Short mmCIF file of all heavy atoms in Angstrom, two decimals:
data_model
loop_
_atom_site.label_atom_id
_atom_site.label_comp_id
_atom_site.label_asym_id
_atom_site.label_seq_id
_atom_site.Cartn_x
_atom_site.Cartn_y
_atom_site.Cartn_z
N MET A 1 -48.01 70.49 -40.22
CA MET A 1 -47.63 71.88 -40.27
C MET A 1 -46.13 71.97 -40.58
O MET A 1 -45.33 71.29 -39.99
CB MET A 1 -47.94 72.54 -38.93
CG MET A 1 -47.70 74.02 -38.94
SD MET A 1 -48.46 74.77 -37.51
CE MET A 1 -47.02 75.43 -36.74
N VAL A 2 -45.77 72.80 -41.51
CA VAL A 2 -44.39 72.96 -41.93
C VAL A 2 -43.82 74.20 -41.25
O VAL A 2 -44.43 75.26 -41.27
CB VAL A 2 -44.29 73.12 -43.46
CG1 VAL A 2 -42.87 73.37 -43.88
CG2 VAL A 2 -44.86 71.90 -44.14
N GLU A 3 -42.66 74.01 -40.63
CA GLU A 3 -42.01 75.16 -40.00
C GLU A 3 -41.17 75.90 -41.02
O GLU A 3 -40.52 75.29 -41.86
CB GLU A 3 -41.10 74.69 -38.86
CG GLU A 3 -41.85 74.23 -37.64
CD GLU A 3 -40.91 73.97 -36.48
OE1 GLU A 3 -39.93 74.72 -36.32
OE2 GLU A 3 -41.16 73.00 -35.77
N THR A 4 -41.22 77.19 -40.95
CA THR A 4 -40.38 78.00 -41.83
C THR A 4 -39.33 78.70 -40.99
O THR A 4 -39.56 79.06 -39.85
CB THR A 4 -41.21 79.04 -42.59
OG1 THR A 4 -41.90 79.86 -41.64
CG2 THR A 4 -42.23 78.37 -43.49
N ILE A 5 -38.18 78.90 -41.59
CA ILE A 5 -37.08 79.59 -40.92
C ILE A 5 -37.10 81.04 -41.38
O ILE A 5 -37.14 81.31 -42.58
CB ILE A 5 -35.72 78.95 -41.27
CG1 ILE A 5 -35.72 77.49 -40.79
CG2 ILE A 5 -34.57 79.72 -40.62
CD1 ILE A 5 -34.51 76.71 -41.22
N PRO A 6 -37.12 81.97 -40.42
CA PRO A 6 -37.11 83.38 -40.82
C PRO A 6 -35.89 83.73 -41.66
O PRO A 6 -34.82 83.12 -41.51
CB PRO A 6 -37.07 84.13 -39.49
CG PRO A 6 -37.51 83.14 -38.46
CD PRO A 6 -37.15 81.79 -38.99
N GLU A 7 -36.05 84.68 -42.54
CA GLU A 7 -34.97 85.08 -43.45
C GLU A 7 -33.72 85.54 -42.71
O GLU A 7 -32.61 85.30 -43.15
CB GLU A 7 -35.45 86.21 -44.37
CG GLU A 7 -36.51 85.78 -45.36
CD GLU A 7 -35.96 84.93 -46.48
OE1 GLU A 7 -34.79 85.09 -46.83
OE2 GLU A 7 -36.72 84.09 -46.98
N ASN A 8 -33.90 86.21 -41.60
CA ASN A 8 -32.74 86.80 -40.91
C ASN A 8 -32.05 85.81 -39.97
O ASN A 8 -31.01 86.11 -39.42
CB ASN A 8 -33.16 88.03 -40.11
CG ASN A 8 -34.25 87.72 -39.09
OD1 ASN A 8 -34.73 86.61 -39.02
ND2 ASN A 8 -34.64 88.71 -38.31
N LYS A 9 -32.59 84.63 -39.79
CA LYS A 9 -31.98 83.64 -38.92
C LYS A 9 -31.13 82.67 -39.75
O LYS A 9 -31.61 82.05 -40.68
CB LYS A 9 -33.06 82.86 -38.17
CG LYS A 9 -32.50 81.91 -37.13
CD LYS A 9 -33.61 81.26 -36.35
CE LYS A 9 -33.03 80.31 -35.34
NZ LYS A 9 -34.08 79.65 -34.58
N GLN A 10 -29.86 82.57 -39.41
CA GLN A 10 -28.96 81.68 -40.15
C GLN A 10 -28.82 80.37 -39.38
O GLN A 10 -28.75 80.35 -38.16
CB GLN A 10 -27.59 82.33 -40.34
CG GLN A 10 -27.62 83.50 -41.28
CD GLN A 10 -26.22 83.97 -41.61
OE1 GLN A 10 -25.24 83.38 -41.20
NE2 GLN A 10 -26.13 85.03 -42.37
N THR A 11 -28.79 79.29 -40.12
CA THR A 11 -28.59 77.99 -39.50
C THR A 11 -27.26 77.43 -39.97
O THR A 11 -26.82 77.69 -41.09
CB THR A 11 -29.71 77.01 -39.88
OG1 THR A 11 -29.74 76.88 -41.28
CG2 THR A 11 -31.05 77.49 -39.37
N SER A 12 -26.63 76.68 -39.11
CA SER A 12 -25.35 76.08 -39.48
C SER A 12 -25.44 74.57 -39.27
O SER A 12 -24.89 74.01 -38.36
CB SER A 12 -24.21 76.66 -38.65
OG SER A 12 -24.46 76.42 -37.28
N VAL A 13 -26.19 73.93 -40.14
CA VAL A 13 -26.36 72.48 -40.07
C VAL A 13 -25.35 71.86 -41.02
O VAL A 13 -25.32 72.17 -42.21
CB VAL A 13 -27.80 72.08 -40.47
CG1 VAL A 13 -27.94 70.57 -40.48
CG2 VAL A 13 -28.80 72.72 -39.54
N GLN A 14 -24.53 70.99 -40.47
CA GLN A 14 -23.54 70.29 -41.28
C GLN A 14 -24.08 68.92 -41.64
O GLN A 14 -24.31 68.09 -40.76
CB GLN A 14 -22.23 70.14 -40.50
CG GLN A 14 -21.56 71.45 -40.18
CD GLN A 14 -21.01 72.11 -41.43
OE1 GLN A 14 -20.64 71.45 -42.38
NE2 GLN A 14 -20.96 73.42 -41.43
N ILE A 15 -24.32 68.68 -42.91
CA ILE A 15 -24.81 67.38 -43.37
C ILE A 15 -23.61 66.56 -43.82
O ILE A 15 -22.84 67.00 -44.67
CB ILE A 15 -25.81 67.56 -44.52
CG1 ILE A 15 -27.00 68.38 -44.04
CG2 ILE A 15 -26.27 66.20 -45.04
CD1 ILE A 15 -27.98 68.74 -45.12
N PRO A 16 -23.46 65.37 -43.24
CA PRO A 16 -22.31 64.53 -43.60
C PRO A 16 -22.33 64.16 -45.08
O PRO A 16 -23.41 63.99 -45.67
CB PRO A 16 -22.50 63.28 -42.74
CG PRO A 16 -23.44 63.67 -41.66
CD PRO A 16 -24.28 64.76 -42.21
N PRO A 17 -21.15 64.02 -45.68
CA PRO A 17 -21.08 63.65 -47.11
C PRO A 17 -21.80 62.34 -47.43
O PRO A 17 -22.38 62.20 -48.50
CB PRO A 17 -19.59 63.53 -47.38
CG PRO A 17 -18.91 64.30 -46.30
CD PRO A 17 -19.83 64.25 -45.12
N SER A 18 -21.78 61.40 -46.50
CA SER A 18 -22.45 60.12 -46.75
C SER A 18 -23.96 60.30 -46.90
O SER A 18 -24.61 59.59 -47.67
CB SER A 18 -22.15 59.13 -45.62
OG SER A 18 -22.58 59.65 -44.38
N ILE A 19 -24.53 61.26 -46.20
CA ILE A 19 -25.97 61.56 -46.31
C ILE A 19 -26.24 62.35 -47.59
O ILE A 19 -27.25 62.13 -48.26
CB ILE A 19 -26.46 62.35 -45.08
CG1 ILE A 19 -26.18 61.60 -43.79
CG2 ILE A 19 -27.93 62.72 -45.21
CD1 ILE A 19 -26.99 60.36 -43.59
N MET A 20 -25.33 63.24 -47.92
CA MET A 20 -25.50 64.07 -49.13
C MET A 20 -25.60 63.19 -50.37
O MET A 20 -26.34 63.51 -51.29
CB MET A 20 -24.34 65.05 -49.28
CG MET A 20 -24.38 66.22 -48.31
SD MET A 20 -25.84 67.25 -48.48
CE MET A 20 -25.59 67.92 -50.10
N GLU A 21 -24.86 62.08 -50.39
CA GLU A 21 -24.91 61.17 -51.54
C GLU A 21 -26.35 60.70 -51.78
O GLU A 21 -26.80 60.63 -52.92
CB GLU A 21 -24.03 59.94 -51.30
CG GLU A 21 -22.56 60.22 -51.30
CD GLU A 21 -21.74 58.98 -51.01
OE1 GLU A 21 -22.24 57.86 -51.23
OE2 GLU A 21 -20.60 59.13 -50.56
N TYR A 22 -27.06 60.38 -50.70
CA TYR A 22 -28.43 59.90 -50.83
C TYR A 22 -29.39 61.04 -51.16
O TYR A 22 -30.40 60.83 -51.83
CB TYR A 22 -28.87 59.20 -49.54
CG TYR A 22 -28.20 57.85 -49.39
CD1 TYR A 22 -27.01 57.71 -48.69
CD2 TYR A 22 -28.75 56.72 -49.97
CE1 TYR A 22 -26.39 56.49 -48.57
CE2 TYR A 22 -28.13 55.49 -49.86
CZ TYR A 22 -26.96 55.38 -49.16
OH TYR A 22 -26.35 54.16 -49.05
N MET A 23 -29.10 62.23 -50.70
CA MET A 23 -29.96 63.37 -51.00
C MET A 23 -29.89 63.76 -52.47
O MET A 23 -30.87 64.23 -53.04
CB MET A 23 -29.57 64.57 -50.12
CG MET A 23 -29.88 64.38 -48.65
SD MET A 23 -29.28 65.71 -47.61
CE MET A 23 -30.29 67.06 -48.18
N GLU A 24 -28.73 63.56 -53.07
CA GLU A 24 -28.51 64.02 -54.44
C GLU A 24 -28.76 62.94 -55.49
O GLU A 24 -28.79 63.24 -56.68
CB GLU A 24 -27.07 64.53 -54.57
CG GLU A 24 -26.82 65.76 -53.71
CD GLU A 24 -25.36 66.14 -53.67
OE1 GLU A 24 -24.50 65.34 -54.11
OE2 GLU A 24 -25.07 67.24 -53.17
N SER A 25 -28.93 61.69 -55.07
CA SER A 25 -29.05 60.60 -56.04
C SER A 25 -30.36 59.83 -55.87
O SER A 25 -30.52 59.07 -54.91
CB SER A 25 -27.87 59.64 -55.88
OG SER A 25 -28.07 58.49 -56.66
N PRO A 26 -31.28 59.98 -56.81
CA PRO A 26 -32.53 59.19 -56.75
C PRO A 26 -32.26 57.69 -56.80
O PRO A 26 -32.97 56.92 -56.15
CB PRO A 26 -33.31 59.65 -57.98
CG PRO A 26 -32.76 60.99 -58.32
CD PRO A 26 -31.31 60.94 -57.90
N LEU A 27 -31.23 57.27 -57.51
CA LEU A 27 -30.90 55.85 -57.59
C LEU A 27 -30.49 55.32 -56.21
O LEU A 27 -30.94 54.25 -55.78
CB LEU A 27 -29.78 55.60 -58.60
CG LEU A 27 -29.32 54.16 -58.73
CD1 LEU A 27 -30.46 53.26 -59.19
CD2 LEU A 27 -28.15 54.06 -59.69
N LYS A 28 -29.65 56.06 -55.51
CA LYS A 28 -29.23 55.64 -54.17
C LYS A 28 -30.43 55.61 -53.22
O LYS A 28 -30.50 54.75 -52.34
CB LYS A 28 -28.15 56.56 -53.62
CG LYS A 28 -26.78 56.25 -54.14
CD LYS A 28 -25.75 56.90 -53.23
CE LYS A 28 -24.39 56.36 -53.46
NZ LYS A 28 -24.12 55.10 -52.80
N GLN A 29 -31.37 56.54 -53.39
CA GLN A 29 -32.57 56.55 -52.55
C GLN A 29 -33.39 55.29 -52.79
O GLN A 29 -33.89 54.67 -51.85
CB GLN A 29 -33.41 57.79 -52.83
CG GLN A 29 -32.78 59.06 -52.35
CD GLN A 29 -33.58 60.29 -52.73
OE1 GLN A 29 -34.72 60.21 -53.13
NE2 GLN A 29 -32.96 61.45 -52.61
N LEU A 30 -33.54 54.89 -54.06
CA LEU A 30 -34.29 53.67 -54.38
C LEU A 30 -33.59 52.44 -53.81
O LEU A 30 -34.25 51.53 -53.29
CB LEU A 30 -34.45 53.53 -55.89
CG LEU A 30 -35.45 54.48 -56.54
CD1 LEU A 30 -35.39 54.36 -58.06
CD2 LEU A 30 -36.85 54.19 -56.04
N GLN A 31 -32.27 52.40 -53.89
CA GLN A 31 -31.52 51.27 -53.34
C GLN A 31 -31.69 51.19 -51.82
O GLN A 31 -31.87 50.11 -51.26
CB GLN A 31 -30.04 51.38 -53.72
CG GLN A 31 -29.77 51.18 -55.19
CD GLN A 31 -28.34 51.51 -55.59
OE1 GLN A 31 -27.63 52.22 -54.87
NE2 GLN A 31 -27.92 51.00 -56.73
N LEU A 32 -31.64 52.34 -51.16
CA LEU A 32 -31.81 52.38 -49.71
C LEU A 32 -33.21 51.94 -49.34
O LEU A 32 -33.40 51.18 -48.38
CB LEU A 32 -31.53 53.79 -49.18
CG LEU A 32 -31.74 53.99 -47.69
CD1 LEU A 32 -30.78 53.12 -46.88
CD2 LEU A 32 -31.57 55.46 -47.33
N HIS A 33 -34.21 52.39 -50.09
CA HIS A 33 -35.59 52.00 -49.82
C HIS A 33 -35.76 50.49 -49.97
O HIS A 33 -36.37 49.84 -49.11
CB HIS A 33 -36.54 52.73 -50.77
CG HIS A 33 -37.96 52.34 -50.61
ND1 HIS A 33 -38.72 52.72 -49.54
CD2 HIS A 33 -38.76 51.56 -51.38
CE1 HIS A 33 -39.93 52.21 -49.65
NE2 HIS A 33 -39.98 51.49 -50.77
N ALA A 34 -35.20 49.92 -51.02
CA ALA A 34 -35.32 48.47 -51.24
C ALA A 34 -34.65 47.70 -50.11
O ALA A 34 -35.22 46.72 -49.60
CB ALA A 34 -34.69 48.10 -52.58
N ARG A 35 -33.47 48.14 -49.70
CA ARG A 35 -32.76 47.48 -48.61
C ARG A 35 -33.55 47.59 -47.31
O ARG A 35 -33.67 46.61 -46.55
CB ARG A 35 -31.37 48.12 -48.45
CG ARG A 35 -30.44 47.34 -47.60
CD ARG A 35 -29.02 47.92 -47.58
NE ARG A 35 -28.72 48.74 -48.74
CZ ARG A 35 -28.12 49.93 -48.70
NH1 ARG A 35 -27.72 50.44 -47.56
NH2 ARG A 35 -27.89 50.61 -49.80
N THR A 36 -34.10 48.76 -47.04
CA THR A 36 -34.88 48.97 -45.83
C THR A 36 -36.11 48.07 -45.81
O THR A 36 -36.45 47.46 -44.79
CB THR A 36 -35.31 50.44 -45.71
OG1 THR A 36 -34.13 51.26 -45.72
CG2 THR A 36 -36.09 50.70 -44.44
N MET A 37 -36.79 47.97 -46.95
CA MET A 37 -37.99 47.13 -47.02
C MET A 37 -37.66 45.66 -46.82
O MET A 37 -38.43 44.93 -46.19
CB MET A 37 -38.72 47.35 -48.35
CG MET A 37 -39.35 48.72 -48.48
SD MET A 37 -40.40 49.19 -47.08
CE MET A 37 -41.67 47.96 -47.18
N LYS A 38 -36.51 45.22 -47.31
CA LYS A 38 -36.10 43.82 -47.09
C LYS A 38 -35.91 43.55 -45.60
O LYS A 38 -36.33 42.50 -45.09
CB LYS A 38 -34.80 43.52 -47.84
CG LYS A 38 -34.99 43.43 -49.34
CD LYS A 38 -33.66 43.24 -50.05
CE LYS A 38 -33.84 43.36 -51.56
NZ LYS A 38 -32.56 43.35 -52.27
N VAL A 39 -35.29 44.48 -44.90
CA VAL A 39 -35.07 44.33 -43.46
C VAL A 39 -36.42 44.33 -42.72
O VAL A 39 -36.63 43.50 -41.82
CB VAL A 39 -34.15 45.45 -42.92
CG1 VAL A 39 -34.11 45.46 -41.40
CG2 VAL A 39 -32.76 45.32 -43.50
N VAL A 40 -37.32 45.21 -43.10
CA VAL A 40 -38.63 45.27 -42.45
C VAL A 40 -39.41 43.98 -42.67
O VAL A 40 -39.98 43.42 -41.73
CB VAL A 40 -39.44 46.50 -42.95
CG1 VAL A 40 -40.88 46.45 -42.50
CG2 VAL A 40 -38.78 47.79 -42.49
N VAL A 41 -39.42 43.48 -43.90
CA VAL A 41 -40.15 42.25 -44.20
C VAL A 41 -39.54 41.08 -43.43
O VAL A 41 -40.28 40.27 -42.84
CB VAL A 41 -40.16 41.98 -45.73
CG1 VAL A 41 -40.64 40.58 -46.03
CG2 VAL A 41 -41.02 43.01 -46.43
N ALA A 42 -38.23 40.99 -43.42
CA ALA A 42 -37.57 39.89 -42.70
C ALA A 42 -37.90 39.96 -41.20
O ALA A 42 -38.18 38.92 -40.58
CB ALA A 42 -36.06 39.94 -42.91
N SER A 43 -37.89 41.14 -40.62
CA SER A 43 -38.19 41.25 -39.20
C SER A 43 -39.64 40.92 -38.91
O SER A 43 -39.96 40.32 -37.88
CB SER A 43 -37.83 42.64 -38.67
OG SER A 43 -38.67 43.62 -39.25
N GLN A 44 -40.55 41.28 -39.82
CA GLN A 44 -41.97 40.95 -39.64
C GLN A 44 -42.17 39.43 -39.71
O GLN A 44 -42.96 38.88 -38.94
CB GLN A 44 -42.81 41.64 -40.71
CG GLN A 44 -42.90 43.14 -40.54
CD GLN A 44 -43.71 43.54 -39.32
OE1 GLN A 44 -44.75 42.96 -39.05
NE2 GLN A 44 -43.21 44.50 -38.58
N ILE A 45 -41.47 38.77 -40.62
CA ILE A 45 -41.59 37.31 -40.76
C ILE A 45 -41.06 36.63 -39.50
O ILE A 45 -41.70 35.73 -38.94
CB ILE A 45 -40.86 36.82 -42.02
CG1 ILE A 45 -41.62 37.28 -43.27
CG2 ILE A 45 -40.69 35.29 -42.00
CD1 ILE A 45 -40.89 37.03 -44.57
N CYS A 46 -39.89 37.08 -39.03
CA CYS A 46 -39.32 36.48 -37.82
C CYS A 46 -40.20 36.74 -36.60
O CYS A 46 -40.40 35.84 -35.77
CB CYS A 46 -37.92 37.04 -37.57
SG CYS A 46 -36.72 36.50 -38.78
N GLY A 47 -40.75 37.93 -36.50
CA GLY A 47 -41.66 38.25 -35.40
C GLY A 47 -42.92 37.41 -35.44
O GLY A 47 -43.38 36.90 -34.42
N GLY A 48 -43.47 37.23 -36.63
CA GLY A 48 -44.66 36.40 -36.78
C GLY A 48 -44.38 34.95 -36.46
O GLY A 48 -45.19 34.27 -35.82
N ALA A 49 -43.22 34.46 -36.88
CA ALA A 49 -42.85 33.07 -36.58
C ALA A 49 -42.68 32.88 -35.08
O ALA A 49 -43.06 31.85 -34.53
CB ALA A 49 -41.57 32.70 -37.33
N GLY A 50 -42.10 33.88 -34.44
CA GLY A 50 -41.93 33.80 -32.98
C GLY A 50 -43.26 33.76 -32.26
O GLY A 50 -43.44 32.99 -31.31
N LEU A 51 -44.19 34.58 -32.69
CA LEU A 51 -45.52 34.58 -32.08
C LEU A 51 -46.23 33.25 -32.34
O LEU A 51 -46.94 32.73 -31.46
CB LEU A 51 -46.36 35.73 -32.62
CG LEU A 51 -45.98 37.13 -32.13
CD1 LEU A 51 -46.83 38.18 -32.85
CD2 LEU A 51 -46.17 37.24 -30.63
N ALA A 52 -46.06 32.70 -33.53
CA ALA A 52 -46.72 31.44 -33.87
C ALA A 52 -46.21 30.29 -33.02
O ALA A 52 -46.95 29.36 -32.72
CB ALA A 52 -46.52 31.13 -35.35
N THR A 53 -44.93 30.34 -32.61
CA THR A 53 -44.38 29.25 -31.79
C THR A 53 -44.53 29.53 -30.31
O THR A 53 -44.15 28.70 -29.48
CB THR A 53 -42.88 29.04 -32.10
OG1 THR A 53 -42.16 30.25 -31.83
CG2 THR A 53 -42.67 28.62 -33.53
N GLY A 54 -45.09 30.69 -29.97
CA GLY A 54 -45.32 30.99 -28.55
C GLY A 54 -44.19 31.73 -27.88
O GLY A 54 -44.15 31.84 -26.67
N ILE A 55 -43.25 32.25 -28.64
CA ILE A 55 -42.14 33.02 -28.05
C ILE A 55 -42.61 34.47 -27.93
O ILE A 55 -42.91 35.10 -28.94
CB ILE A 55 -40.87 32.94 -28.92
CG1 ILE A 55 -40.42 31.51 -29.07
CG2 ILE A 55 -39.76 33.81 -28.33
CD1 ILE A 55 -39.29 31.32 -30.05
N PRO A 56 -42.69 35.00 -26.72
CA PRO A 56 -43.20 36.38 -26.56
C PRO A 56 -42.21 37.43 -27.00
O PRO A 56 -41.08 37.33 -27.00
CB PRO A 56 -43.50 36.50 -25.10
CG PRO A 56 -42.76 35.40 -24.42
CD PRO A 56 -42.46 34.37 -25.45
#
């Protein structure tokens, strides 16, 4: 379910410039996604290796 903001209600959300760079650049989004996936894969491999050796 998507929340909608009423027309008469004003919001004052300040988005940091560092986040805006990623919002405005599809290339930066792809780079962030690739970096994130590398971290996820590495953590899954390390977690699996730990389980295989009996480290809880």
